[in-house]
Amino acid sequence: MKLPRRKGTATSVEIEPPEVVASGPGASKGRPTPKRRTASVPPPPAPRTRKEAMAWQKQQGAKAKVAGQKKLSPAEYKQALKTGDPRVLPRRDQGPVRALARDYVDSRRMASNYLLLLFPLMLIGYVIRPLQIITLALFALLLAEWMLAGSRIRKLALERGMQTKESAISLGFYAGSRAYFRRSWRRPMPAVEPGDKI
């Protein structure tokens, strides 16, 4: 608000309006209202090319890293994955219940251990009609084994006080997907030997 000029004065004085303090429940914010240009910042434009998308993804990954955590070299990463270091495990392998499922599979002999050897027979079974019944029977046997393993793993987890929302089916498929690999191919590496008590 400007005051009218008086004769003989060359300057004008601007008086700041008094700060209005609203009364009532929850009326005061305790901070100034932001300017319109800072109140809403538009999101960055979407990447147009694959190269831009990869650069954006790399940048987001760098931001998500925990401060002070050193980057692992490829050899260190491979070793950490072998030993089951939680920092590098994929999401599907994380958690105590999944670790119990891995130990369960690694400490037992299962029919699924021979699944890779049965693949050629299954492929031939699709071509030769009489072998189709054998192929379907093998698949049914493996699925039954996976369901049984899943229910046993879930029961063991609950007995040991592990909280889990996973069903016996999901745990069974996880166990089966590990069981058909050779022991030397499994990641993380087996922590128990066949016959060990878990």
Side-chain angles (χ1 to χ4, degrees):
M1 172 177 145
K2 291 187 178 179
L3 294 176
R5 286 188 180 182
R6 290 186 192 169
K7 289 182 181 177
T9 61
T11 58
S12 62
V13 180
E14 286 190 14
I15 299 175
E16 295 273 330
E19 197 175 321
V20 179
V21 179
S23 60
S28 177
K29 294 187 295 188
R31 60 179 173 76
T33 304
K35 302 262 188 227
R36 184 180 292 270
R37 64 178 176 271
T38 58
S40 60
V41 179
R48 280 176 258 161
T49 64
R50 185 168 162 35
K51 192 175 179 181
E52 284 180 12
M54 292 296 284
W56 180 84
Q57 195 173 10
K58 192 181 272 188
Q59 183 184 9
Q60 294 303 313
K63 282 182 185 174
K65 274 197 166 184
V66 182
Q69 183 179 346
K70 73 167 192 168
K71 190 177 176 182
L72 298 175
S73 69
E76 288 173 331
Y77 177 83
K78 201 178 280 187
Q79 185 60 31
L81 191 61
K82 275 185 184 179
T83 55
D85 191 334
R87 294 176 300 162
V88 299
L89 280 181
R91 185 174 287 179
R92 70 183 293 270
D93 293 323
Q94 290 178 357
V97 179
R98 291 294 173 110
L100 177 66
R102 290 194 296 272
D103 289 344
Y104 180 90
V105 170
D106 297 336
S107 65
R108 283 169 174 73
R109 299 265 183 219
M110 299 171 69
S112 304
N113 298 147
Y114 308 102
L115 182 60
L116 288 178
L117 300 174
L118 295 173
F119 270 135
L121 177 64
M122 291 178 178
L123 291 172
I124 295 167
Y126 283 116
V127 180
I128 301 168
R129 291 223 175 241
L131 286 176
Q132 283 182 352
I133 296 167
I134 298 170
T135 305
L136 289 172
L138 285 171
F139 268 123
L141 174 70
L142 293 173
L143 285 173
E145 182 184 51
W146 293 1
M147 297 304 104
L148 183 64
S151 62
R152 284 182 179 169
I153 292 164
R154 193 170 195 281
K155 187 179 175 185
L156 268 173
L158 293 174
E159 281 174 2
R160 295 178 185 189
M162 298 177 188
Q163 298 297 323
T164 179
K165 293 180 181 177
E166 289 192 80
S167 65
I169 295 171
S170 68
L171 285 170
F173 272 91
Y174 177 72
S177 67
R178 183 174 176 86
Y180 72 79
F181 281 115
R182 288 175 54 186
R183 286 180 67 85
S184 58
W185 295 353
R186 295 175 188 173
R187 295 293 180 270
M189 290 286 283
V192 294
E193 292 296 323
D196 285 356
K197 229 180 168 187
I198 58 164

